[in-house]
Amino acid sequence: MKPMKHTDGLFNNCKITIEEWQNELEGDNIGKKIVKNFKEETNLDRKGFLSFYARVCKMYPDRASRNLNAQTIIEYCADHKYANPSPKPLTLRGPKIDPSNDEKLYRLESARKFFKQFTEKGHVPYNRYTWFLSKIKEKQLDKDDLKGKFIGNERGIVWCTWEKSAIEAEKQGDTLDDLRDRLGLSHLNGGEELIRVIYDWKVIDGLKSGLRVPTVLDAGSTPYFKPGGWTMSLTRKKEGLPEMVHEKIPMDSVDIDYKGKLTKSAPRRF
């Protein structure tokens, strides 16, 4: 798949350039960052660019209306189920990654969010959550109880890094709060209890999409993302870590450990 550049004809009929579009979003720093991500993305083909462009146009219809081909693109994407709303918007379109045989994948996860995925309910009694958390802390969580359950966000995507990258960060003195910041996990605040999820890359080896570099299609409307395969660190004091995405995976295929409690709220850059 040949990556498409922004000069390849997609914007030839535009009345407004991406730079001008960014300038119009005065005061909307989140919008500016999303458009900036779109401008810097190099790992998508034409369909991928069309899909994300249509979604951004829907987010900012007043600005997009100045673009001659915005409505045409939106209709084209909707007809081909490439843009929201659709049953399954395009995801996992970045370049494939082929790890070595001994590589392990790593993610930090909110214990509460993980429990919601486990129960498949939006709200559960607090005593059930504390029971579940105690099982993790005591390393008594039975994998048989996890069968038929899956890890993945609402779009069926799992974000992760290399275990070796997380280990190296800790060797350099990173605290749990530092690791949260370097992974760009802006939704995890002080007091949140975290678990560590580790699994062999072979868990995803048989999945259709495999392991991939994330693109704007996977990130969607979050500003805490930058194209290129590295997390967007929440602090300028420390750099990000390698970042990958893949399809949802069974809970009973991973190792789960209690990691600790965050002491600080996540820094806000927007």
Side-chain angles (χ1 to χ4, degrees):
M1 180 185 297
K2 180 183 177 183
M4 175 184 166
K5 296 186 182 298
H6 292 278
T7 55
D8 286 354
L10 179 57
F11 303 102
N12 286 355
N13 296 322
C14 293
K15 287 182 178 179
I16 182 171
T17 65
I18 292 181
E19 288 78 8
E20 290 170 336
W21 196 4
Q22 275 190 289
N23 291 336
E24 281 205 352
L25 295 173
E26 184 175 356
D28 185 354
N29 292 328
I30 292 178
K32 284 184 177 181
K33 182 60 169 63
I34 293 168
V35 175
K36 181 175 184 287
N37 288 344
F38 177 59
K39 176 185 175 184
E40 294 178 352
E41 182 63 75
T42 60
N43 288 319
L44 290 177
D45 59 5
R46 185 176 182 83
K47 288 180 180 178
F49 273 119
L50 287 172
S51 174
F52 187 73
Y53 184 52
R55 288 163 61 189
V56 173
C57 285
K58 287 187 177 183
M59 290 169 59
Y60 301 101
D62 294 338
R63 281 92 177 195
S65 65
R66 289 184 55 193
N67 189 317
L68 280 177
N69 61 356
Q71 189 60 39
T72 302
I73 289 174
I74 291 172
E75 291 172 357
Y76 173 87
C77 292
D79 288 344
H80 293 79
K81 295 184 172 60
Y82 292 147
N84 282 334
S86 73
K88 190 175 181 182
L90 284 182
T91 55
L92 303 171
R93 307 284 288 193
K96 274 194 172 183
I97 301 171
D98 294 316
S100 60
N101 290 333
D102 59 346
E103 294 281 14
K104 288 186 179 293
L105 299 172
Y106 176 107
R107 60 181 273 109
L108 278 182
E109 178 81 85
S110 159
R112 190 179 298 275
K113 182 178 178 181
F114 186 87
F115 184 56
K116 287 182 178 180
Q117 292 180 45
F118 171 74
T119 60
E120 301 176 337
K121 295 180 180 179
H123 175 74
V124 291
Y126 181 72
N127 63 335
R128 288 283 295 164
Y129 165 66
T130 54
W131 167 84
F132 184 78
L133 186 59
S134 68
K135 287 290 186 181
I136 294 177
K137 288 180 177 180
E138 296 165 8
K139 299 184 183 297
Q140 293 181 352
L141 191 62
D142 193 334
K143 286 200 173 184
D144 286 341
D145 294 334
L146 301 177
K147 285 185 177 179
K149 310 292 185 179
F150 290 88
I151 297 173
N153 64 18
E154 62 278 0
R155 300 178 67 199
I157 301 172
V158 179
W159 295 74
C160 58
T161 189
W162 300 118
E163 181 193 28
K164 62 183 180 182
S165 299
I167 291 174
E168 183 60 32
E170 291 177 336
K171 285 181 178 179
Q172 293 173 2
D174 280 7
T175 64
L176 186 58
D177 294 272
D178 292 332
L179 199 53
R180 180 268 320 271
D181 295 346
R182 294 184 69 178
L183 289 170
L185 303 176
S186 61
H187 59 288
L188 299 178
N189 287 309
E192 192 82 46
E193 298 198 79
L194 304 187
I195 59 174
R196 174 181 59 186
V197 179
I198 299 175
Y199 48 105
D200 194 284
W201 78 271
K202 291 180 180 178
V203 170
I204 62 166
D205 193 34
L207 298 178
K208 181 179 179 181
S209 297
L211 188 64
R212 292 183 179 263
V213 175
T215 72
V216 291
L217 290 179
D218 306 305
S221 58
T222 178
Y224 293 101
F225 170 77
K226 65 177 183 179
W230 288 77
T231 61
M232 178 182 168
S233 178
L234 303 181
T235 172
R236 292 181 173 85
K237 295 179 181 179
K238 293 180 178 288
E239 62 183 9
L241 298 176
E243 185 171 49
M244 299 82 72
V245 288
H246 58 78
E247 297 170 54
K248 64 181 182 180
I249 54 174
M251 284 188 178
D252 62 351
S253 66
V254 305
D255 293 323
I256 304 164
D257 295 305
Y258 180 73
K259 189 63 178 169
K261 183 182 289 189
L262 293 170
T263 62
K264 302 176 183 177
S265 292
R268 301 296 176 191
R269 292 182 61 174
F270 300 96

